[in-house]
Amino acid sequence: FLSLVAEFCCGFFVILILGNFWFLAVLYLLWLYLDWETPCAGGRRSQWVRGWTVWRYFREYFPIHLIKTSELNPNHNYLLGFHPHGVLVAGAFGNFCTDPPFKNLFPGLTPYLHIMPIWFGCPFFREYIMSAGMVSASKESVSHVLNNEGGGHASVIVIGGAEESLNAHPGSLTLNILKRKGFIKMALKHGAHLVPVFSFGENELFKQVANPKGSWLRNVQEKLQKIMGFALPLFHARGVFQYSFGLIPYRQPIHTVVGSPIPVKQNLNPTTEEIDELHALYLQKLKKLFEEHKSNYGIPAHKSLIFE
């Protein structure tokens, strides 16, 4: 969905350049230059945009649910690790970029969904995603959010990143996380409490072309991901009036479960051992969260998370 909106915005910008409104394009480029750092400085959210009626229909389509398992004290800052990426990241968008799901369950906390910086280079589209509460996934951006002295900020990071979307097959429980420790270091440096979040149903929205590791397709996808910075999963779902083929996601319920916080004491210069220790604890809590809730959402008892 976001990709389609981005393409529309870029197309509109090209029309301005090629048409008789090129001066508007020049003015916007000047604005873009002056406003370039805003995605790394907390963005520019709009409660009006976040409250659009269309987002209620978007959430109800699947439907998307946010499940609270523990209180999050608004006097602290938090780093929420979202899993899995899936193809659409619908649970992250529906719960953290639209109102009122998050603010009703966690009053006093403001969520910021961190996404790839490349999206903020898209004319006009960048203005919309910042209005929805999305900011850059750069270290500078995460630090800006977690530096809030009064607490009340929550950085939401999709830990597996674009690479994990290549594992987004129905029934898949494989997470790219063993080598991803940057978010642990950021939590330590800022004393932000860590919160594991698992979104049940995220991988069920599309069917992806078989791309097992080692296959020619997976090799091509991984090379393109390294070059462009984002992955290109080949997927399909349903159409508008038929259910056999199309790009509209299947109507599968998504239950995004927010776990209990892991208290983190600020450490400006954490050692490798300290980072590894907290990372191991995070994996333990994430697995526990999954095991405690999997039976509620149709996951067989014998299936568990796979960490790569």
Side-chain angles (χ1 to χ4, degrees), residues 65-73 101-107 256-260 289 293 297:
H65 304 279
L66 186 65
I67 291 87
K68 175 182 179 179
T69 65
S70 178
E71 294 292 338
L72 297 182
N73 189 332
F102 189 84
K103 73 175 184 179
N104 281 355
L105 289 180
F106 302 100
T256 303
V257 184
V258 181
S260 301
L289 178 70
H293 294 272
Y297 308 116

Side-chain angles (χ1 to χ4, degrees), residues 19-275:
N20 295 324
F21 303 97
W22 59 267
F23 61 95
L24 293 178
V26 172
L27 288 176
Y28 184 80
L29 287 176
L30 177 60
W31 162 255
L32 193 63
Y33 173 77
L34 296 174
D35 194 57
W36 190 255
E37 297 300 323
T38 301
C40 295
R44 190 169 43 248
R45 72 176 53 225
S46 165
Q47 295 305 127
W48 175 67
V49 172
R50 290 174 60 89
W52 282 351
T53 302
V54 66
W55 303 136
R56 176 167 60 85
Y57 291 123
F58 173 80
R59 294 192 302 269
E60 292 176 352
Y61 170 80
F62 298 97
I64 296 174
H65 304 279
L66 186 65
I67 291 87
K68 175 182 179 179
T69 65
S70 178
E71 294 292 338
L72 297 182
N73 189 332
N75 293 325
H76 299 295
N77 292 317
Y78 297 89
L79 195 159
L80 279 61
F82 184 92
H83 313 270
H85 185 288
V87 171
L88 190 63
V89 206
F93 177 80
N95 287 312
F96 303 117
C97 295
T98 71
D99 286 332
F102 189 84
K103 73 175 184 179
N104 281 355
L105 289 180
F106 302 100
L109 281 181
T110 302
Y112 295 81
L113 179 61
H114 296 270
I115 63 175
M116 292 185 298
I118 190 173
W119 291 111
F120 296 97
C122 180
F124 301 115
F125 179 66
R126 69 188 296 274
E127 316 305 333
Y128 159 67
I129 56 179
M130 281 195 288
S131 296
M134 287 178 255
V135 292
S136 172
S138 67
K139 292 180 180 179
E140 178 188 0
S141 178
V142 176
S143 291
H144 185 276
V145 172
L146 298 181
N147 264 337
N148 190 42
E149 293 184 2
H153 282 189
S155 280
V156 183
I157 301 178
V158 184
I159 306 299
E163 183 182 358
E164 193 173 83
S165 67
L166 300 178
N167 290 327
H169 297 272
S172 174
L173 296 172
T174 301
L175 303 181
N176 291 59
I177 192 172
L178 291 181
K179 295 181 180 179
R180 296 179 181 268
K181 300 179 182 180
F183 73 104
I184 298 292
K185 189 173 182 179
M186 293 299 291
L188 282 166
K189 283 190 171 184
H190 296 283
H193 296 350
L194 281 167
V195 182
V197 178
F198 195 87
S199 195
F200 292 89
E202 199 74 46
N203 284 338
E204 318 306 315
L205 306 184
F206 297 92
K207 291 180 180 178
Q208 189 173 169
V209 175
N211 60 342
K213 287 197 172 183
S215 65
W216 69 268
L217 176 57
R218 185 60 169 258
N219 290 335
V220 170
Q221 288 174 321
E222 289 176 347
K223 288 180 180 178
L224 288 176
Q225 191 262 325
K226 290 179 180 178
I227 295 172
M228 299 184 297
F230 56 90
L232 292 173
L234 299 179
F235 58 88
H236 68 88
R238 54 163 291 188
V240 178
F241 302 110
Q242 45 78 30
Y243 290 84
S244 58
F245 190 81
L247 295 179
I248 298 176
Y250 293 116
R251 297 191 70 177
Q252 295 290 338
I254 297 172
H255 295 86
T256 303
V257 184
V258 181
S260 301
I262 303 170
V264 177
K265 185 177 181 181
Q266 187 173 25
N267 184 346
L268 296 177
N269 295 292
T271 64
T272 301
E273 291 74 19
E274 290 169 330
I275 293 173

